[in-house]
Amino acid sequence: MTIETPILADIRTGYRVITLNRPDKLNAFNESMHQALRRAIEDAEADENCRALLLTGAGRGFCTGQDLNDRLARPGQTVVLGGALEAHYNPLVRKLRSLPFPVVAAVNGVAAGAGCNIALACDIVLAARSASFIQSFARVGLIPDSGGTWYLPRLIGDARARGLAMLAEPLPAEKAEQWGLIWKCVDDEALANEAQKLCEHFAAAPTQGLALIKQALNASATNTLDAQLDLERDLQRAASLTPDYSEGVRAFMEKQQANFTGRRK
């Protein structure tokens, strides 16, 4: 009997790779997968050597959201949804947005339903050219959840958000990049390498400053300009007191001096 391992966690130098691992179900979520993913993210956050997180899927899909086999009702009964959002999906989206380091999503195939919106909760989304993004909720009479109704209008505008949400049509990765839904679309065979290079970059970058950038951008969605200016002032003060800033300025000045000396020779 094969024991399912719904989440694979790989520790790399400076970052971790978390792979959703139910490929026969297109990595749809069930209870055990939720629990395993929560533990994997908590372990990454607790690791002081982890400076970035890469989230991807096994097989030919990234994630198709909820495994509906876990939500089937007996004849004559109705399953009232909402509990899973409160217990699992909403905490996951909040955690991805608030982690003190960058989160990269490598969307290797279809990202549908909550799976699409979990990808959008990451800081940077790379997608294989064959991938697609589907707000599939309307097909079964539901609304986009896991932050979908919040992310879509802000990323691509109201008209496109309504079209994706109400028509539930697939959006190819290349068009998702053109619309500004994701950071970049790359050739399928280049996806893993591009995602790895991003995480290696972040592993060597000023993590504390990146965490403050995340905090500022998260707050900007609801702040007035005046409030955001005040927040930028306060966070910049905090950033200037970090070792990352001191080391960054020193390295910058040394490079400038070397360039100047080189031009004079």
Side-chain angles (χ1 to χ4, degrees):
M1 180 179 177
T2 302
I3 299 176
E4 183 181 82
T5 306
I7 294 294
L8 301 177
D10 185 13
I11 301 175
R12 307 280 180 89
T13 302
Y15 68 98
R16 292 194 180 201
V17 180
I18 294 178
T19 303
L20 308 178
N21 189 43
R22 300 186 73 216
D24 57 322
K25 301 292 187 181
L26 291 176
N27 301 317
F29 275 96
N30 61 8
E31 184 74 19
S32 63
M33 187 168 165
H34 275 299
Q35 294 174 358
L37 180 58
R38 181 186 298 115
R39 290 192 297 268
I41 293 175
E42 289 173 350
D43 288 346
E45 186 176 17
D47 180 4
E48 62 182 17
N49 295 313
C50 182
R51 299 164 69 91
L53 186 66
L54 173 58
L55 182 64
T56 192
R60 59 189 179 90
F62 175 76
C63 178
T64 53
Q66 177 63 42
D67 187 341
L68 295 181
N69 288 318
D70 278 8
R71 295 290 181 267
L72 294 178
R74 294 190 181 94
Q77 292 184 339
T78 299
V79 176
V80 179
L81 305 180
L85 294 177
E86 187 69 24
H88 300 302
Y89 291 101
N90 292 353
L92 172 59
V93 169
R94 291 184 176 113
K95 176 58 71 175
L96 291 172
R97 295 299 275 190
S98 64
L99 282 171
F101 43 69
V103 183
V104 176
V107 179
N108 53 302
V110 63
C116 176
N117 297 328
I118 288 168
L120 298 181
C122 298
D123 297 301
I124 294 185
V125 184
L126 295 175
R129 203 166 301 278
S130 64
S132 60
F133 298 83
I134 313 173
Q135 296 292 325
S136 51
F137 303 91
R139 295 179 180 178
V140 292
L142 297 176
I143 71 160
D145 58 32
S146 303
T149 60
W150 192 90
Y151 290 119
L152 291 175
R154 286 166 171 79
L155 291 171
I156 59 176
D158 186 72
R160 287 171 170 167
R162 288 173 186 267
L164 290 182
M166 293 182 174
L167 296 174
E169 294 180 349
L171 182 69
E174 195 163 2
K175 184 170 284 188
E177 178 190 338
Q178 294 169 358
W179 283 10
L181 186 71
I182 65 172
W183 169 243
K184 189 180 291 185
C185 168
V186 301
D187 292 337
D188 288 28
E189 61 272 15
L191 178 65
N193 187 55
E194 288 293 319
Q196 178 178 313
K197 286 196 297 185
L198 262 181
C199 288
E200 289 172 349
H201 167 81
F202 287 134
T207 306
Q208 292 169 304
L210 293 175
L212 294 173
I213 289 173
K214 288 185 65 166
Q215 185 177 338
L217 291 174
N218 289 342
S220 71
T222 54
N223 269 351
T224 63
L225 174 59
D226 282 342
Q228 192 69 12
L229 289 171
D230 289 343
L231 178 63
E232 289 175 351
R233 174 202 62 208
D234 295 341
L235 295 181
Q236 199 72 295
R237 285 173 177 166
S240 67
L241 297 174
T242 65
D244 284 346
Y245 173 71
S246 300
E247 293 173 10
V249 169
R250 178 182 54 78
F252 177 79
M253 297 303 295
E254 289 175 354
K255 182 177 180 180
Q256 288 292 97
Q257 182 62 36
N259 289 340
F260 177 75
T261 303
R263 289 196 298 270
R264 291 290 299 272
K265 289 182 179 178

